[in-house]
Amino acid sequence: MKPPFQQALGIIRQLNRHGYEAYFVGGAVRDLLLGRPIGDVDIATSALPDEVMAIFPKTIDVGSKHGTVVIVHEGTAYEVTTFRTDGDYEDHRRPESVTFVRSLEEDLKRRDFTMNAIAMDEHGTIIDPFGGQEAIEKRLIRTVGEADARFREDALRMMRAVRFVSQLGFSLAIDTKKAIIANAPLLAHISVERMTMEMEKLLAGPFAAEALPLLAETGLSTYLPGLAEKGEWLRRAAAYRWPWLAAREERWALLCHALGVKESRPFLRAWKLPNKVIDEAGAILATLAAVPEPAAWTNEQLFLAGLKRALSVEVVRAALTGKPYEPQHDELRRRFAALPIKTKGELAVNGKVVIDWIGKPAGPWVKETLDAIWRAVVNGEVENEKERIYAWLMERSRTQEKNC
Ligand code: ATP
Ligand code: MG
């Protein structure tokens, strides 16, 4: 058995020893069958949450009402969820109540897609009552049971389907796709936060260029923040190199650019992203507009952007144009390393020193003077040494007086 499963095997065996059934389930089993890197290993069991907590010394009750207990085993946290069926769905969202059941098959039946409804026991034997392996072989995303009903129960599953397209490069089964088209308006019942989580996974997937047009094709985009009128743009977004981007800020910046969003702030706010992400994506876009080509970076722009943002700008530009970003990255790294200072804090003088030198009361002139100083230092006009800066400043005042 592969390492992540091997490490969790103790939990399965312990539950078995106490007379309960226990299996690996969900994404980890799917990824194992696909030969993909395996993420979180989830376990499903016939034991009730209280029974699970009674067996293991280190547990965290993260949602025992819904059947989920976290077991800390050899330093790793595992989600162990009691076999359950979902109660009535209200408003096309996850049900408030769940019913615990003792049968694995019933538990697998409530899962979204056949590829996610496969279990594996302690010997590595696969239990696959809904044809998940066949779907994986055919690279198809297919709902467990009737697609229409499953999307009416929980509309988020439609977004999950398209984000799996992006993550796995699979296609939507015909019935599944038809049902998404028919039920797309139900997405309006889903909270923005949950849609954003799926969208972020979609943008980060290796096949985002295929998934983005699919949002338009299925009509889901009509119900996503700021995307209602962007169908054509989403189709064109297929041309960009999404997988080149490494950070979420870069992905949101590229999305804004790709969609022709004029003001990124309200668009990103509608997705309820953290301010840090909104600010950084906005700064990347502003810098991209200010530096029209890789060769156009001035020292001042590079200094103000900082190396990290400058690299982001070039990778976003590369994703747009399809030209490799490595040469620009190398060049920016070299130029940034050559800057005499990397931050304003490294300047040899500060406001207090400047006030002492000039002998005028503090005012807006202090910031203006400091700005002139860092610019001169960054451009190599003066060395970053107190005496040199003093001399440069005196010379500058003399010239300014002469010009007045
Ligand atoms: P990832 O690799 O992104 O974690 P995953 O398949 O593990 O993918 P999770 O969101 O972690 O996805 O969910 C774990 C499992 O729970 C899924 O594989 C699926 O069986 C089930 N599941 C998750 N969300 C839903 C849902 N909305 N409806 C039905 N089943 C779901
Ligand atoms: Mg998972």
Side-chain angles (χ1 to χ4, degrees):
M1 208 167 273
K2 281 207 168 183
F5 294 102
Q6 186 67 39
Q7 277 147 19
L9 206 53
I11 298 177
I12 305 249
R13 289 199 174 135
Q14 187 80 339
L15 284 161
N16 288 166
R17 223 172 288 138
H18 283 79
Y20 301 109
E21 285 182 51
Y23 303 89
F24 298 113
V25 283
V29 179
R30 175 199 69 220
D31 291 342
L32 172 76
L33 294 170
L34 261 169
R36 286 180 87 227
I38 293 149
D40 294 338
V41 169
D42 293 325
I43 293 167
T45 180
S46 60
L48 295 170
D50 286 344
E51 294 169 335
V52 173
M53 287 190 276
I55 295 175
F56 295 92
K58 267 199 208 163
T59 60
I60 308 162
D61 184 346
V62 289
S64 59
K65 217 172 64 159
H66 291 93
T68 305
V69 172
V70 163
I71 296 180
V72 184
H73 176 71
E74 292 170 5
T76 306
Y78 297 93
E79 278 197 7
V80 177
T81 304
T82 305
F83 295 160
R84 59 174 219 224
T85 57
D86 292 332
D88 284 339
Y89 288 84
E90 275 171 40
D91 289 343
H92 317 285
R93 273 175 260 167
R94 263 193 193 146
E96 270 305 294
S97 69
V98 301
T99 308
F100 298 133
V101 292
R102 296 281 183 182
S103 130
L104 169 69
E105 187 161 334
E106 271 198 80
D107 180 84
L108 294 177
K109 199 171 165 188
R110 71 159 171 98
R111 294 174 182 272
D112 49 5
F113 304 111
T114 57
M115 64 182 184
N116 290 341
I118 307 172
M120 183 170 79
D121 72 8
E122 64 166 318
H123 309 294
T125 305
I126 296 290
I127 299 109
D128 177 19
F130 303 106
Q133 291 170 104
E134 190 198 335
I136 289 174
E137 264 157 42
K138 294 185 175 160
R139 306 181 71 77
L140 281 178
I141 297 163
R142 172 175 286 142
T143 53
V144 175
E146 200 210 333
D148 213 54
R150 301 310 309 281
F151 292 139
R152 267 187 274 122
E153 281 174 1
D154 180 356
L156 187 73
R157 289 174 187 153
M158 298 187 283
M159 275 301 283
R160 285 175 59 84
V162 182
R163 75 107 149 145
F164 281 122
V165 168
S166 179
Q167 289 181 319
L168 307 175
F170 283 21
S171 308
L172 300 176
I174 291 172
D175 284 359
T176 298
K177 187 169 176 182
K178 272 193 192 154
I180 295 180
I181 294 169
N183 291 289
L186 297 180
L187 209 55
H189 296 270
I190 299 298
S191 73
V192 170
E193 288 83 350
R194 294 180 75 203
M195 295 198 277
T196 302
M197 274 171 63
E198 295 303 324
M199 189 64 172
E200 292 219 275
K201 289 183 182 175
L202 187 160
L203 293 175
F207 303 93
E210 271 132 72
L212 285 166
L214 203 51
L215 287 178
E217 201 190 322
T218 52
L220 287 172
S221 59
T222 310
Y223 306 94
L224 290 168
L227 298 188
E229 311 287 331
K230 297 289 183 186
E232 252 331 291
W233 300 80
L234 282 166
R235 285 176 223 270
R236 285 206 291 268
Y240 304 131
R241 308 295 203 277
W242 296 89
W244 288 4
L245 306 180
R248 64 200 289 220
E249 294 82 2
E250 295 165 0
R251 292 191 272 268
W252 286 104
L254 180 60
L255 185 68
C256 288
H257 195 98
L259 298 179
V261 169
K262 296 230 162 53
E263 283 195 63
S264 65
R265 195 162 277 277
F267 175 82
L268 298 175
R269 250 200 231 119
W271 284 93
K272 297 201 178 168
L273 289 162
N275 283 333
K276 234 181 100 238
V277 176
I278 296 177
D279 290 346
E280 186 54 27
I284 291 170
L285 287 165
T287 314
L288 186 66
V291 184
E293 55 174 6
W297 284 95
T298 64
N299 279 2
E300 290 176 26
Q301 284 170 325
L302 185 53
F303 173 81
L304 279 178
L307 182 60
K308 186 169 164 283
R309 184 177 300 153
L311 297 179
S312 286
V313 168
E314 285 313 322
V315 81
V316 169
R317 193 197 315 277
L320 283 164
T321 59
K323 291 193 188 134
Y325 56 86
E326 289 89 350
Q328 341 292 354
H329 273 194
D330 290 348
E331 175 66 6
L332 284 176
R333 282 201 186 90
R334 190 192 61 72
R335 281 188 55 190
F336 192 79
L339 288 179
I341 53 169
K342 317 292 183 218
T343 62
K344 290 182 190 174
E346 288 175 32
L347 213 53
V349 299
N350 55 26
K352 192 175 164 300
V353 172
V354 171
I355 293 169
D356 279 352
W357 280 348
I358 308 289
K360 279 201 295 185
W365 69 270
V366 180
K367 188 183 173 299
E368 282 159 24
T369 309
L370 282 171
D371 281 349
I373 296 173
W374 74 250
R375 285 204 164 88
V377 169
V378 162
N379 286 323
E381 290 162 30
V382 57
E383 264 180 71
N384 186 32
E385 279 174 19
K386 234 171 164 179
E387 298 76 43
R388 304 280 179 126
I389 292 172
Y390 181 78
W392 177 86
L393 204 56
M394 292 303 119
E395 178 60 32
R396 178 173 175 267
S397 323
R398 265 196 297 277
T399 325
Q400 278 176 342
E401 272 163 26
K402 229 184 282 166
N403 291 346
C404 279

